[in-house]
Amino acid sequence: SEHEGVSLMRVLTWNVRQGGSKSPFYSIINYLVEHDADVMVLTEFVDNEKGKALAKNLYAAGYTYQNDYVSPYKNESMLVTSKYAFEDVTDMKEWALPKERWQELFFPEKDVYLLAIHIPQYMTSVHDRRLFLQQLLAYGQKRAADSSIMIGDYNTSWMLDSQGIVTDFRDYLQQLNDLGWTQSCQLIDKHPSDCACNSPIEYGFRIDLAYISPPLKKKVIACEFSQHGPLEEGSEHHVLQVTLNS
């Protein structure tokens, strides 16, 4: 994107909730397109009839680069769709995680790495929350010297008055800070304690996050949650959008 002669890269993440099954189809399309992002990371995407139509309509709206990986079990996955070309550089031999919840992409035009993630809410024999966060720290060490963003549904909250599983592993987020990574909105707000990402919403807490590597911090020029809220009876998540001066 161009804005007053400056090249921008707007990165959006949103949990569409159970493949978008809770929302009218065209409401989802319009809701996403009106944000005018360049890259979208959509979690809880399902490659069913509605999911395929969602991807097709976003393609028609100009998001012509899309990841082609879907869960072999038709489980919830992620759809990454972009106006910029990207390369899938996910090395599943290096990361012991299901690819439907962990994908690393490289945008050569912007020289930016993007890790799309969806950390599970609970532990099962397949999805181990602690393993996800341990791998997140390892990735943070690996890409600390590169222009990188880790964005998606962390299912982990910084909120001091949060309760339950979303707070169980927030010490890992502190360790990310110790590695030099910063939550995106803290780079914009003058007072981190008042950061919009840490503000309560009508229900639930902020669990969709974007962490920025040290070299990319100076390029973050905006970070905002959608002001008009989630779709009625749809996703309980608000859109998070980060704008980079790339």
Side-chain angles (χ1 to χ4, degrees), residues 23-51:
S23 304
F25 176 74
Y26 283 105
S27 294
I28 296 176
I29 297 296
N30 294 335
Y31 184 64
L32 289 170
V33 171
E34 70 183 15
H35 283 82
D36 194 29
D38 300 301
V39 183
M40 297 184 186
V41 176
L42 304 179
T43 56
E44 287 199 25
F45 172 80
V46 178
D47 187 42
N48 53 18
E49 182 178 349
K50 193 170 187 177

PDB file of all heavy atoms in Angstrom, residues 23-51:
ATOM      1  N   SER A  23     -21.324 -16.539  11.480  1.00  0.00           N
ATOM      2  CA  SER A  23     -21.595 -15.230  10.877  1.00  0.00           C
ATOM      3  C   SER A  23     -22.096 -15.386   9.444  1.00  0.00           C
ATOM      4  O   SER A  23     -21.709 -16.325   8.742  1.00  0.00           O
ATOM      5  CB  SER A  23     -20.322 -14.375  10.868  1.00  0.00           C
ATOM      6  OG  SER A  23     -19.791 -14.252  12.161  1.00  0.00           O
ATOM      7  N   PRO A  24     -22.934 -14.453   8.970  1.00  0.00           N
ATOM      8  CA  PRO A  24     -23.350 -14.460   7.566  1.00  0.00           C
ATOM      9  C   PRO A  24     -22.129 -14.309   6.662  1.00  0.00           C
ATOM     10  O   PRO A  24     -21.241 -13.496   6.932  1.00  0.00           O
ATOM     11  CB  PRO A  24     -24.278 -13.242   7.462  1.00  0.00           C
ATOM     12  CG  PRO A  24     -24.735 -12.982   8.861  1.00  0.00           C
ATOM     13  CD  PRO A  24     -23.584 -13.378   9.739  1.00  0.00           C
ATOM     14  N   PHE A  25     -22.114 -15.062   5.569  1.00  0.00           N
ATOM     15  CA  PHE A  25     -20.918 -15.141   4.734  1.00  0.00           C
ATOM     16  C   PHE A  25     -20.464 -13.783   4.212  1.00  0.00           C
ATOM     17  O   PHE A  25     -19.310 -13.389   4.396  1.00  0.00           O
ATOM     18  CB  PHE A  25     -21.171 -16.090   3.559  1.00  0.00           C
ATOM     19  CG  PHE A  25     -20.023 -16.150   2.598  1.00  0.00           C
ATOM     20  CD1 PHE A  25     -18.862 -16.823   2.939  1.00  0.00           C
ATOM     21  CD2 PHE A  25     -20.085 -15.525   1.369  1.00  0.00           C
ATOM     22  CE1 PHE A  25     -17.783 -16.870   2.066  1.00  0.00           C
ATOM     23  CE2 PHE A  25     -19.022 -15.571   0.493  1.00  0.00           C
ATOM     24  CZ  PHE A  25     -17.870 -16.248   0.849  1.00  0.00           C
ATOM     25  N   TYR A  26     -21.350 -13.032   3.576  1.00  0.00           N
ATOM     26  CA  TYR A  26     -20.914 -11.778   2.972  1.00  0.00           C
ATOM     27  C   TYR A  26     -20.617 -10.714   4.020  1.00  0.00           C
ATOM     28  O   TYR A  26     -19.887  -9.758   3.752  1.00  0.00           O
ATOM     29  CB  TYR A  26     -21.940 -11.297   1.942  1.00  0.00           C
ATOM     30  CG  TYR A  26     -21.830 -12.080   0.656  1.00  0.00           C
ATOM     31  CD1 TYR A  26     -22.763 -13.054   0.332  1.00  0.00           C
ATOM     32  CD2 TYR A  26     -20.747 -11.886  -0.202  1.00  0.00           C
ATOM     33  CE1 TYR A  26     -22.629 -13.801  -0.836  1.00  0.00           C
ATOM     34  CE2 TYR A  26     -20.605 -12.623  -1.363  1.00  0.00           C
ATOM     35  CZ  TYR A  26     -21.552 -13.582  -1.675  1.00  0.00           C
ATOM     36  OH  TYR A  26     -21.415 -14.330  -2.816  1.00  0.00           O
ATOM     37  N   SER A  27     -21.156 -10.884   5.221  1.00  0.00           N
ATOM     38  CA  SER A  27     -20.784  -9.978   6.311  1.00  0.00           C
ATOM     39  C   SER A  27     -19.310 -10.159   6.649  1.00  0.00           C
ATOM     40  O   SER A  27     -18.602  -9.187   6.929  1.00  0.00           O
ATOM     41  CB  SER A  27     -21.646 -10.252   7.548  1.00  0.00           C
ATOM     42  OG  SER A  27     -22.992  -9.925   7.310  1.00  0.00           O
ATOM     43  N   ILE A  28     -18.825 -11.395   6.607  1.00  0.00           N
ATOM     44  CA  ILE A  28     -17.413 -11.671   6.876  1.00  0.00           C
ATOM     45  C   ILE A  28     -16.547 -11.032   5.799  1.00  0.00           C
ATOM     46  O   ILE A  28     -15.548 -10.360   6.101  1.00  0.00           O
ATOM     47  CB  ILE A  28     -17.153 -13.196   6.931  1.00  0.00           C
ATOM     48  CG1 ILE A  28     -17.904 -13.824   8.110  1.00  0.00           C
ATOM     49  CG2 ILE A  28     -15.661 -13.483   7.054  1.00  0.00           C
ATOM     50  CD1 ILE A  28     -17.777 -15.331   8.172  1.00  0.00           C
ATOM     51  N   ILE A  29     -16.918 -11.236   4.539  1.00  0.00           N
ATOM     52  CA  ILE A  29     -16.142 -10.673   3.428  1.00  0.00           C
ATOM     53  C   ILE A  29     -16.064  -9.154   3.551  1.00  0.00           C
ATOM     54  O   ILE A  29     -14.978  -8.556   3.501  1.00  0.00           O
ATOM     55  CB  ILE A  29     -16.766 -11.056   2.070  1.00  0.00           C
ATOM     56  CG1 ILE A  29     -16.748 -12.577   1.867  1.00  0.00           C
ATOM     57  CG2 ILE A  29     -16.017 -10.354   0.933  1.00  0.00           C
ATOM     58  CD1 ILE A  29     -15.381 -13.181   1.787  1.00  0.00           C
ATOM     59  N   ASN A  30     -17.211  -8.525   3.718  1.00  0.00           N
ATOM     60  CA  ASN A  30     -17.230  -7.059   3.800  1.00  0.00           C
ATOM     61  C   ASN A  30     -16.462  -6.563   5.014  1.00  0.00           C
ATOM     62  O   ASN A  30     -15.744  -5.556   4.944  1.00  0.00           O
ATOM     63  CB  ASN A  30     -18.678  -6.565   3.848  1.00  0.00           C
ATOM     64  CG  ASN A  30     -19.427  -6.834   2.556  1.00  0.00           C
ATOM     65  OD1 ASN A  30     -18.821  -6.955   1.496  1.00  0.00           O
ATOM     66  ND2 ASN A  30     -20.735  -6.939   2.639  1.00  0.00           N
ATOM     67  N   TYR A  31     -16.616  -7.253   6.124  1.00  0.00           N
ATOM     68  CA  TYR A  31     -15.938  -6.868   7.366  1.00  0.00           C
ATOM     69  C   TYR A  31     -14.430  -6.874   7.184  1.00  0.00           C
ATOM     70  O   TYR A  31     -13.716  -5.975   7.632  1.00  0.00           O
ATOM     71  CB  TYR A  31     -16.353  -7.833   8.468  1.00  0.00           C
ATOM     72  CG  TYR A  31     -15.817  -7.528   9.843  1.00  0.00           C
ATOM     73  CD1 TYR A  31     -16.173  -6.365  10.512  1.00  0.00           C
ATOM     74  CD2 TYR A  31     -14.983  -8.429  10.488  1.00  0.00           C
ATOM     75  CE1 TYR A  31     -15.699  -6.097  11.790  1.00  0.00           C
ATOM     76  CE2 TYR A  31     -14.505  -8.173  11.766  1.00  0.00           C
ATOM     77  CZ  TYR A  31     -14.875  -7.012  12.412  1.00  0.00           C
ATOM     78  OH  TYR A  31     -14.402  -6.753  13.672  1.00  0.00           O
ATOM     79  N   LEU A  32     -13.927  -7.888   6.498  1.00  0.00           N
ATOM     80  CA  LEU A  32     -12.488  -7.999   6.283  1.00  0.00           C
ATOM     81  C   LEU A  32     -11.989  -6.989   5.250  1.00  0.00           C
ATOM     82  O   LEU A  32     -11.000  -6.285   5.487  1.00  0.00           O
ATOM     83  CB  LEU A  32     -12.133  -9.421   5.842  1.00  0.00           C
ATOM     84  CG  LEU A  32     -12.247 -10.498   6.916  1.00  0.00           C
ATOM     85  CD1 LEU A  32     -12.118 -11.888   6.307  1.00  0.00           C
ATOM     86  CD2 LEU A  32     -11.177 -10.302   7.993  1.00  0.00           C
ATOM     87  N   VAL A  33     -12.655  -6.906   4.127  1.00  0.00           N
ATOM     88  CA  VAL A  33     -12.181  -6.055   3.034  1.00  0.00           C
ATOM     89  C   VAL A  33     -12.175  -4.582   3.429  1.00  0.00           C
ATOM     90  O   VAL A  33     -11.274  -3.829   3.039  1.00  0.00           O
ATOM     91  CB  VAL A  33     -13.029  -6.283   1.772  1.00  0.00           C
ATOM     92  CG1 VAL A  33     -12.693  -5.255   0.691  1.00  0.00           C
ATOM     93  CG2 VAL A  33     -12.793  -7.695   1.227  1.00  0.00           C
ATOM     94  N   GLU A  34     -13.137  -4.160   4.246  1.00  0.00           N
ATOM     95  CA  GLU A  34     -13.203  -2.744   4.604  1.00  0.00           C
ATOM     96  C   GLU A  34     -12.018  -2.304   5.467  1.00  0.00           C
ATOM     97  O   GLU A  34     -11.752  -1.103   5.577  1.00  0.00           O
ATOM     98  CB  GLU A  34     -14.514  -2.432   5.324  1.00  0.00           C
ATOM     99  CG  GLU A  34     -14.633  -3.006   6.710  1.00  0.00           C
ATOM    100  CD  GLU A  34     -15.986  -2.714   7.351  1.00  0.00           C
ATOM    101  OE1 GLU A  34     -16.920  -2.323   6.630  1.00  0.00           O
ATOM    102  OE2 GLU A  34     -16.111  -2.890   8.566  1.00  0.00           O
ATOM    103  N   HIS A  35     -11.273  -3.244   6.029  1.00  0.00           N
ATOM    104  CA  HIS A  35     -10.086  -2.885   6.808  1.00  0.00           C
ATOM    105  C   HIS A  35      -8.894  -2.528   5.915  1.00  0.00           C
ATOM    106  O   HIS A  35      -7.916  -1.946   6.392  1.00  0.00           O
ATOM    107  CB  HIS A  35      -9.701  -4.028   7.752  1.00  0.00           C
ATOM    108  CG  HIS A  35     -10.586  -4.123   8.967  1.00  0.00           C
ATOM    109  ND1 HIS A  35     -11.805  -4.753   8.936  1.00  0.00           N
ATOM    110  CD2 HIS A  35     -10.427  -3.654  10.224  1.00  0.00           C
ATOM    111  CE1 HIS A  35     -12.355  -4.667  10.137  1.00  0.00           C
ATOM    112  NE2 HIS A  35     -11.556  -4.015  10.928  1.00  0.00           N
ATOM    113  N   ASP A  36      -8.972  -2.903   4.642  1.00  0.00           N
ATOM    114  CA  ASP A  36      -7.952  -2.528   3.661  1.00  0.00           C
ATOM    115  C   ASP A  36      -6.549  -2.952   4.094  1.00  0.00           C
ATOM    116  O   ASP A  36      -5.577  -2.203   3.930  1.00  0.00           O
ATOM    117  CB  ASP A  36      -7.983  -1.013   3.411  1.00  0.00           C
ATOM    118  CG  ASP A  36      -7.202  -0.616   2.168  1.00  0.00           C
ATOM    119  OD1 ASP A  36      -7.108  -1.434   1.240  1.00  0.00           O
ATOM    120  OD2 ASP A  36      -6.661   0.501   2.137  1.00  0.00           O
ATOM    121  N   ALA A  37      -6.435  -4.142   4.649  1.00  0.00           N
ATOM    122  CA  ALA A  37      -5.122  -4.678   5.021  1.00  0.00           C
ATOM    123  C   ALA A  37      -4.406  -5.187   3.773  1.00  0.00           C
ATOM    124  O   ALA A  37      -5.022  -5.415   2.727  1.00  0.00           O
ATOM    125  CB  ALA A  37      -5.279  -5.799   6.035  1.00  0.00           C
ATOM    126  N   ASP A  38      -3.103  -5.369   3.881  1.00  0.00           N
ATOM    127  CA  ASP A  38      -2.323  -5.975   2.795  1.00  0.00           C
ATOM    128  C   ASP A  38      -2.127  -7.470   3.009  1.00  0.00           C
ATOM    129  O   ASP A  38      -2.008  -8.230   2.053  1.00  0.00           O
ATOM    130  CB  ASP A  38      -0.950  -5.297   2.694  1.00  0.00           C
ATOM    131  CG  ASP A  38      -1.074  -3.820   2.408  1.00  0.00           C
ATOM    132  OD1 ASP A  38      -1.669  -3.471   1.372  1.00  0.00           O
ATOM    133  OD2 ASP A  38      -0.591  -3.007   3.222  1.00  0.00           O
ATOM    134  N   VAL A  39      -2.096  -7.858   4.274  1.00  0.00           N
ATOM    135  CA  VAL A  39      -1.907  -9.265   4.644  1.00  0.00           C
ATOM    136  C   VAL A  39      -2.923  -9.599   5.723  1.00  0.00           C
ATOM    137  O   VAL A  39      -3.099  -8.840   6.680  1.00  0.00           O
ATOM    138  CB  VAL A  39      -0.484  -9.527   5.180  1.00  0.00           C
ATOM    139  CG1 VAL A  39      -0.300 -11.015   5.497  1.00  0.00           C
ATOM    140  CG2 VAL A  39       0.571  -9.058   4.194  1.00  0.00           C
ATOM    141  N   MET A  40      -3.602 -10.725   5.576  1.00  0.00           N
ATOM    142  CA  MET A  40      -4.553 -11.181   6.587  1.00  0.00           C
ATOM    143  C   MET A  40      -4.146 -12.547   7.109  1.00  0.00           C
ATOM    144  O   MET A  40      -3.852 -13.461   6.328  1.00  0.00           O
ATOM    145  CB  MET A  40      -5.962 -11.291   5.998  1.00  0.00           C
ATOM    146  CG  MET A  40      -6.563  -9.994   5.509  1.00  0.00           C
ATOM    147  SD  MET A  40      -8.278 -10.272   4.963  1.00  0.00           S
ATOM    148  CE  MET A  40      -8.674  -8.669   4.266  1.00  0.00           C
ATOM    149  N   VAL A  41      -4.138 -12.682   8.429  1.00  0.00           N
ATOM    150  CA  VAL A  41      -3.920 -13.970   9.085  1.00  0.00           C
ATOM    151  C   VAL A  41      -5.228 -14.322   9.780  1.00  0.00           C
ATOM    152  O   VAL A  41      -5.597 -13.708  10.784  1.00  0.00           O
ATOM    153  CB  VAL A  41      -2.770 -13.894  10.110  1.00  0.00           C
ATOM    154  CG1 VAL A  41      -2.632 -15.219  10.855  1.00  0.00           C
ATOM    155  CG2 VAL A  41      -1.460 -13.522   9.426  1.00  0.00           C
ATOM    156  N   LEU A  42      -5.954 -15.281   9.222  1.00  0.00           N
ATOM    157  CA  LEU A  42      -7.265 -15.647   9.741  1.00  0.00           C
ATOM    158  C   LEU A  42      -7.162 -16.997  10.452  1.00  0.00           C
ATOM    159  O   LEU A  42      -6.817 -18.009   9.839  1.00  0.00           O
ATOM    160  CB  LEU A  42      -8.282 -15.724   8.603  1.00  0.00           C
ATOM    161  CG  LEU A  42      -8.406 -14.449   7.748  1.00  0.00           C
ATOM    162  CD1 LEU A  42      -9.431 -14.656   6.637  1.00  0.00           C
ATOM    163  CD2 LEU A  42      -8.769 -13.241   8.595  1.00  0.00           C
ATOM    164  N   THR A  43      -7.440 -16.985  11.748  1.00  0.00           N
ATOM    165  CA  THR A  43      -7.382 -18.221  12.525  1.00  0.00           C
ATOM    166  C   THR A  43      -8.776 -18.844  12.635  1.00  0.00           C
ATOM    167  O   THR A  43      -9.785 -18.191  12.379  1.00  0.00           O
ATOM    168  CB  THR A  43      -6.796 -17.964  13.924  1.00  0.00           C
ATOM    169  OG1 THR A  43      -7.574 -16.956  14.592  1.00  0.00           O
ATOM    170  CG2 THR A  43      -5.361 -17.477  13.815  1.00  0.00           C
ATOM    171  N   GLU A  44      -8.804 -20.107  13.005  1.00  0.00           N
ATOM    172  CA  GLU A  44     -10.029 -20.926  13.036  1.00  0.00           C
ATOM    173  C   GLU A  44     -10.675 -21.003  11.659  1.00  0.00           C
ATOM    174  O   GLU A  44     -11.892 -21.115  11.528  1.00  0.00           O
ATOM    175  CB  GLU A  44     -11.022 -20.442  14.102  1.00  0.00           C
ATOM    176  CG  GLU A  44     -10.587 -20.781  15.514  1.00  0.00           C
ATOM    177  CD  GLU A  44     -11.723 -20.739  16.536  1.00  0.00           C
ATOM    178  OE1 GLU A  44     -12.897 -20.922  16.150  1.00  0.00           O
ATOM    179  OE2 GLU A  44     -11.414 -20.531  17.724  1.00  0.00           O
ATOM    180  N   PHE A  45      -9.851 -20.949  10.614  1.00  0.00           N
ATOM    181  CA  PHE A  45     -10.321 -21.148   9.242  1.00  0.00           C
ATOM    182  C   PHE A  45     -10.536 -22.642   9.017  1.00  0.00           C
ATOM    183  O   PHE A  45      -9.757 -23.475   9.480  1.00  0.00           O
ATOM    184  CB  PHE A  45      -9.283 -20.622   8.252  1.00  0.00           C
ATOM    185  CG  PHE A  45      -9.579 -20.945   6.811  1.00  0.00           C
ATOM    186  CD1 PHE A  45     -10.499 -20.197   6.093  1.00  0.00           C
ATOM    187  CD2 PHE A  45      -8.930 -22.002   6.175  1.00  0.00           C
ATOM    188  CE1 PHE A  45     -10.770 -20.480   4.765  1.00  0.00           C
ATOM    189  CE2 PHE A  45      -9.190 -22.298   4.844  1.00  0.00           C
ATOM    190  CZ  PHE A  45     -10.117 -21.534   4.140  1.00  0.00           C
ATOM    191  N   VAL A  46     -11.610 -22.982   8.313  1.00  0.00           N
ATOM    192  CA  VAL A  46     -11.901 -24.378   7.988  1.00  0.00           C
ATOM    193  C   VAL A  46     -12.039 -24.495   6.472  1.00  0.00           C
ATOM    194  O   VAL A  46     -12.765 -23.707   5.843  1.00  0.00           O
ATOM    195  CB  VAL A  46     -13.196 -24.870   8.679  1.00  0.00           C
ATOM    196  CG1 VAL A  46     -13.495 -26.315   8.281  1.00  0.00           C
ATOM    197  CG2 VAL A  46     -13.068 -24.756  10.195  1.00  0.00           C
ATOM    198  N   ASP A  47     -11.365 -25.470   5.889  1.00  0.00           N
ATOM    199  CA  ASP A  47     -11.374 -25.637   4.430  1.00  0.00           C
ATOM    200  C   ASP A  47     -12.609 -26.434   3.993  1.00  0.00           C
ATOM    201  O   ASP A  47     -12.514 -27.489   3.388  1.00  0.00           O
ATOM    202  CB  ASP A  47     -10.094 -26.342   3.985  1.00  0.00           C
ATOM    203  CG  ASP A  47      -9.964 -26.395   2.463  1.00  0.00           C
ATOM    204  OD1 ASP A  47     -10.256 -25.385   1.817  1.00  0.00           O
ATOM    205  OD2 ASP A  47      -9.579 -27.466   1.941  1.00  0.00           O
ATOM    206  N   ASN A  48     -13.772 -25.899   4.309  1.00  0.00           N
ATOM    207  CA  ASN A  48     -15.022 -26.509   3.856  1.00  0.00           C
ATOM    208  C   ASN A  48     -15.615 -25.637   2.757  1.00  0.00           C
ATOM    209  O   ASN A  48     -14.935 -24.760   2.209  1.00  0.00           O
ATOM    210  CB  ASN A  48     -15.993 -26.670   5.036  1.00  0.00           C
ATOM    211  CG  ASN A  48     -16.206 -25.359   5.792  1.00  0.00           C
ATOM    212  OD1 ASN A  48     -15.916 -24.277   5.278  1.00  0.00           O
ATOM    213  ND2 ASN A  48     -16.715 -25.462   7.014  1.00  0.00           N
ATOM    214  N   GLU A  49     -16.870 -25.841   2.423  1.00  0.00           N
ATOM    215  CA  GLU A  49     -17.474 -25.078   1.333  1.00  0.00           C
ATOM    216  C   GLU A  49     -17.440 -23.579   1.625  1.00  0.00           C
ATOM    217  O   GLU A  49     -17.105 -22.771   0.753  1.00  0.00           O
ATOM    218  CB  GLU A  49     -18.920 -25.538   1.127  1.00  0.00           C
ATOM    219  CG  GLU A  49     -19.634 -24.845  -0.032  1.00  0.00           C
ATOM    220  CD  GLU A  49     -21.043 -25.361  -0.243  1.00  0.00           C
ATOM    221  OE1 GLU A  49     -21.403 -26.391   0.364  1.00  0.00           O
ATOM    222  OE2 GLU A  49     -21.801 -24.734  -1.021  1.00  0.00           O
ATOM    223  N   LYS A  50     -17.767 -23.202   2.859  1.00  0.00           N
ATOM    224  CA  LYS A  50     -17.772 -21.790   3.223  1.00  0.00           C
ATOM    225  C   LYS A  50     -16.349 -21.231   3.236  1.00  0.00           C
ATOM    226  O   LYS A  50     -16.105 -20.110   2.800  1.00  0.00           O
ATOM    227  CB  LYS A  50     -18.409 -21.608   4.596  1.00  0.00           C
ATOM    228  CG  LYS A  50     -18.746 -20.157   4.935  1.00  0.00           C
ATOM    229  CD  LYS A  50     -19.606 -20.063   6.196  1.00  0.00           C
ATOM    230  CE  LYS A  50     -20.082 -18.644   6.442  1.00  0.00           C
ATOM    231  NZ  LYS A  50     -20.975 -18.559   7.634  1.00  0.00           N
ATOM    232  N   GLY A  51     -15.385 -22.026   3.715  1.00  0.00           N
ATOM    233  CA  GLY A  51     -13.998 -21.592   3.744  1.00  0.00           C
ATOM    234  C   GLY A  51     -13.441 -21.377   2.349  1.00  0.00           C
ATOM    235  O   GLY A  51     -12.728 -20.395   2.086  1.00  0.00           O
TER     236      GLY A  51
END
